[in-house]
Amino acid sequence: MKKRLIIILGPTGVGKTERSLQLAESLHTEIISCDSRQMYREMKIGTAAPTEKELQRVPHHFIGNLSIHDYYSCGKFELEALAKCEELFQRHDTVLMVGGSMLYIDAICKGIDDIPKIDEELRRELDLRLANEGVDALRNELKMLDPVYYRQVDPLNHKRIKHALEVCIQTGKPFSSFHTDTKKERPFDIEKIGFTRPREELYERINLRVDKMFEAGLLEEAKALYPYKGLNSLNTVGYKELFEYFDGNWTLEYAKQMIQQNSRHYAKKQITWFKRDEEIQWETLTD
């Protein structure tokens, strides 16, 4: 019998954690997390990582396994998560994968295209250009070298713009040419279950969750991470807004409102992304 990976996905705040725990317990299996930020052990509160009690209920993998100083990528997750699946399928017929990181889910379901490793000198050069000239200069160059990807990329996502430009310059080919969209075969079946809620209910849950994060010590957690605010791992909703408060640019109340607003925007982005996938079986949750 072919092994089965069930992927539980959906927007932030929808209620994936408790439902996935219940399902994992009923199946007597384990959970692979596909939340790119819950991997960082220093960011437990702001990423709503599973609690110690929840981790004791069901074995989890890829939770708190990295430091904020570690480099990580979708490609690395693909390799490590597939290896973990192979290991877990020796003990279980079904394994759960739970989270909302769209690119990480795609990495497992479709695979990552083989993109060349970037030369460190070129990376430093573009880092310097980004710092001195700003993202607009890099975006304009990307428009000339790869107009296809330029039309797709988030114009404010400097990390993806810089990476695409690195690939264009190093290879002499458009970054978009490496995106073949050829789906890789997996030695197991994949079933996707998406959780959703009415929009107003979801947004209310997100607002309430941010309130609970502050009660749990989010402010103190962010303050301890403030000296490292330039790290890419900390370019994350819940932290970057509080860094603005620590910098004296925003009031604490405004920073909290922005965390709630940016969390709602992220949820909307996730819903839009997932709705394109016809393989997802949707279930509307009600409390």
Side-chain angles (χ1 to χ4, degrees):
M1 191 176 92
K2 208 169 184 184
K3 302 292 185 175
R4 178 176 60 153
L5 179 69
I6 299 178
I7 302 179
I8 304 294
L9 55 85
T12 185
V14 77
K16 297 184 293 291
T17 299
E18 180 56 34
R19 297 311 197 284
S20 63
L21 286 168
Q22 293 170 1
L23 182 57
E25 287 171 332
S26 70
L27 294 170
H28 304 288
T29 190
E30 304 180 33
I31 292 175
I32 295 174
S33 170
C34 58
D35 185 306
S36 64
R37 288 307 190 248
Q38 290 183 357
M39 292 183 177
Y40 297 108
R41 66 181 70 98
E42 301 94 335
M43 299 165 60
K44 292 179 181 177
I45 299 172
T47 62
T51 63
E52 287 303 318
K53 189 176 180 181
E54 290 166 339
L55 293 174
Q56 288 170 9
R57 283 176 60 184
V58 175
H60 282 65
H61 306 275
F62 299 96
I63 294 286
N65 57 306
L66 298 176
S67 163
I68 55 171
H69 303 281
D70 294 334
Y71 170 77
Y72 207 70
S73 66
C74 286
K76 201 167 184 183
F77 178 74
E78 179 187 5
L79 295 175
E80 293 183 357
L82 287 175
K84 181 58 66 175
C85 284
E86 184 178 355
E87 174 195 325
L88 295 179
F89 281 139
Q90 294 176 17
R91 306 194 295 269
H92 307 285
D93 290 330
T94 300
V95 171
L96 296 193
M97 178 172 282
V98 182
S101 294
M102 297 88 78
L103 294 176
Y104 279 44
I105 292 171
D106 274 1
I108 296 303
C109 296
K110 301 177 182 178
I112 297 292
D113 294 305
D114 296 323
I115 295 174
K117 188 175 179 181
I118 302 302
D119 179 74
E120 282 301 319
E121 187 174 340
L122 174 59
R123 180 164 284 161
R124 285 193 295 270
E125 179 186 328
L126 284 175
D127 280 337
L128 192 62
R129 283 189 56 196
L130 179 62
N132 293 334
E133 302 172 33
V135 70
D136 285 344
L138 271 60
R139 192 165 55 229
N140 288 335
E141 186 169 350
L142 179 64
K143 185 178 182 179
M144 291 188 294
L145 297 178
D146 189 352
V148 173
Y149 188 70
Y150 171 82
R151 290 193 295 270
Q152 298 173 355
V153 70
D154 177 352
L156 299 179
N157 193 322
H158 65 272
K159 181 185 174 187
R160 289 188 186 167
I161 290 169
K162 183 176 77 71
H163 179 60
L165 196 54
E166 288 169 348
V167 174
C168 291
I169 294 172
Q170 179 156 316
T171 66
K173 300 177 183 177
F175 178 66
S176 56
S177 69
F178 291 92
H179 293 187
T180 61
D181 288 331
T182 302
K183 192 173 181 179
K184 295 180 183 177
E185 290 296 318
R186 301 303 188 201
F188 48 82
D189 290 329
I190 296 176
E191 180 181 333
K192 301 177 195 173
I193 301 174
F195 290 151
T196 186
R197 290 179 186 270
R199 180 163 294 186
E200 289 306 314
E201 182 182 326
L202 176 62
Y203 285 0
E204 182 57 36
R205 285 176 60 89
I206 289 171
N207 291 342
L208 183 61
R209 185 162 81 158
V210 173
D211 288 337
K212 289 180 178 178
M213 285 177 178
F214 272 87
E215 292 170 9
L218 176 60
L219 186 64
E220 292 73 22
E221 183 177 73
K223 196 166 190 176
L225 297 173
Y226 179 62
Y228 315 107
K229 66 177 184 175
L231 294 176
N232 181 62
S233 55
L234 289 168
N235 183 24
T236 300
V237 175
Y239 299 93
K240 60 184 180 180
E241 296 86 356
L242 286 175
F243 296 157
E244 291 287 343
Y245 163 63
F246 297 142
D247 283 337
N249 299 326
W250 293 353
T251 66
L252 181 57
E253 184 58 34
Y254 184 71
K256 182 178 178 181
Q257 290 172 7
M258 290 305 295
I259 293 172
Q260 292 172 325
Q261 177 179 302
N262 289 335
S263 297
R264 295 193 301 268
H265 286 170
Y266 182 57
K268 185 178 179 182
K269 181 179 178 180
Q270 288 173 301
I271 292 167
T272 300
W273 179 286
F274 290 136
K275 286 295 184 182
R276 299 177 186 144
D277 189 342
E278 296 179 355
E279 296 177 354
I280 298 173
Q281 305 168 49
W282 288 99
E283 179 182 338
T284 301
L285 298 181
T286 53
D287 291 327

